[in-house]
Amino acid sequence: MPRSEQTQTAILGALSIMPMTGYALREEIRDTLGHFWSESFGQIYPALAELERQSLVERSAEGGSRSHTFALTPAGLLRLRELLAEPPQQEKPRNGLLLRLFFGSQLGAEATRRLVLDAREKAKAQLTQMDVARRSLLDDASLADQAPYILLTISAGEHSARASIAWANEALAELAMMAEAVMLEAPEAPNTPDDRDAPETPSARNSFGS
Amino acid sequence: MPRSEQTQTAILGALSIMPMTGYALREEIRDTLGHFWSESFGQIYPALAELERQSLVERSAEGGSRSHTFALTPAGLLRLRELLAEPPQQEKPRNGLLLRLFFGSQLGAEATRRLVLDAREKAKAQLTQMDVARRSLLDDASLADQAPYILLTISAGEHSARASIAWANEALAELAMMAEAVMLEAPEAPNTPDDRDAPETPSARNSFGS
DNA sequence: ATAAGCATGTAAGGAGTTACATGATTCT
DNA sequence: AGAATCATGTAACTCCTTACATGCTTAT
């Protein structure tokens, strides 16, 4: 349940696929789990030390003297299964884009539009990333056992990205209509209205939500 | 850019719609921004104190002596616009569901299926929540200015929830096919195989990603 | 009267990021 | 020889959550 256990889960999971160094662990987590998971550098080494203390992973000197490969112990595999079986803790959402859109009337239509365009670009980039991930997964014969499950996570990324693109397109159309409506109200000023600081009425509104 | 500024943004934004107490602030953030934003209790009061110190909000005694209503100052409104114009920091993803699915071969097909079913239920619940939010928004005449922007965030929630449902349906079909394939391989055991701990080969795999 | 909800704050602690320090190895 | 990359770790700091402490007001 505590959040640090999720870090342990990610590390044990990665090591269950293949033993590796802490450095490699970080790169795999970034590159392979990156679209739905992240661990920072200063998190991985302390977590590895703790897992070693509990005999859930073992380090073996290999290559240079300063390089250790970490591997799951049998107890580590059991622990991984235990951790995976615990209910996922729902993350507290903190979506900076939607926060800005919500207060879009203060931000202004043009800046809002740029935010949405940017979000659409990011979603498109994710879509191609998912495509790359799917190809390299299917090329890797050693992952045959895991592939069906990993494909579910790739598909989730694609669904999410496509939803973002569809939403962005609708939002852009909506914003364009709002801009037109503004122009109809004030046909004398077809250029950027620049009404920043103009409506000096931040005063009492009376409901917000119900 | 620092994360605490996002807290200030949320608070200033809420107060730009309507002055209120710290307690009400927390409830509005939970109920109105809840599907894309969260602030914890212990965050709001210190942030309000800091904003007051910077003269961005003002408190006025009202009602009981122990109850203060906070309101934006003109400087606070300008600061809000400044903060909204800063680029949103992308949140580090931490999706416990996808982490478990990724390692689904260790978790087992049945537990994986339950996770997906649960995710679909949550998405359906969000869809009805969004519907409620849209209705109460359109009923509230005082939010007419903000409504077009707020609707964009509601629409984002709907797109996201519908994508989750569509994904879950595909995933469930996929998981059902996987279960069938297992049964064809081992037609002697049509019941729950319970092969937990059976394949005791956590040993060397050789690629993981490329 | 008493329970539920409104209201304000503080303190302790855990989580997580960033930057720093250090050195080995490999490529050019 | 020098640069890039691999590799391990620590320390300081920010952020955030949770639990606690307190007391008022309103409904039952």
Side-chain angles (χ1 to χ4, degrees), chain B residues 129-193:
Chain B
Q129 267 183 40
M130 292 301 99
D131 201 54
V132 171
R134 167 176 275 123
R135 284 169 203 282
S136 62
L137 174 63
L138 295 176
D139 279 354
D140 188 340
S142 75
L143 290 173
D145 289 358
Q146 289 85 344
Y149 291 100
I150 297 178
L151 281 171
L152 296 181
T153 70
I154 291 176
S155 163
E158 287 170 339
H159 274 276
S160 163
R162 281 197 296 262
S164 291
I165 293 169
W167 165 80
N169 286 331
E170 281 183 29
L172 289 169
E174 189 61 39
L175 287 168
M177 275 173 41
M178 286 163 60
E180 252 181 75
V182 166
M183 273 193 260
L184 287 174
E185 277 173 31
E188 307 301 315
N191 270 332
T192 43

Side-chain angles (χ1 to χ4, degrees), chain A residues 59-139:
Chain A
R59 78 173 75 195
S60 60
E62 204 174 86
S65 55
R66 280 182 67 76
S67 170
H68 320 128
T69 296
F70 291 87
L72 272 198
T73 63
L77 181 64
L78 292 179
R79 179 68 176 142
L80 170 61
R81 289 175 180 165
E82 222 175 273
L83 287 169
L84 289 171
E86 285 190 16
Q89 50 184 108
Q90 83 295 10
E91 40 185 350
K92 315 257 152 140
R94 258 179 166 239
N95 188 322
L97 169 66
L98 292 186
L99 183 67
R100 283 162 179 75
L101 288 196
F102 192 96
F103 300 113
S105 60
Q106 292 297 338
L107 178 59
E110 188 43 44
T112 302
R113 193 176 148 270
R114 255 177 276 126
L115 284 175
V116 176
L117 281 170
D118 202 53
R120 188 174 63 175
E121 284 320 298
K122 290 217 173 89
K124 284 181 178 172
Q126 183 177 350
L127 215 45
T128 65
Q129 267 182 39
M130 291 301 99
D131 202 54
V132 170
R134 167 176 273 124
R135 285 170 203 282
S136 62
L137 174 62
L138 296 176
D139 280 353

Side-chain angles (χ1 to χ4, degrees), chain A residues 2-4 7 38 40-43 64 66:
Chain A
R3 196 165 179 132
S4 63
T7 296
S38 79
S40 76
F41 218 57
Q43 204 72 359
R66 280 182 67 76

Side-chain angles (χ1 to χ4, degrees), chain B residues 187-207:
Chain B
E188 307 301 315
N191 270 332
T192 43
D194 214 320
D195 49 15
R196 200 71 351 101
D197 300 53
E200 204 55 280
T201 20
S203 46
R205 270 326 178 341
N206 34 358
S207 174

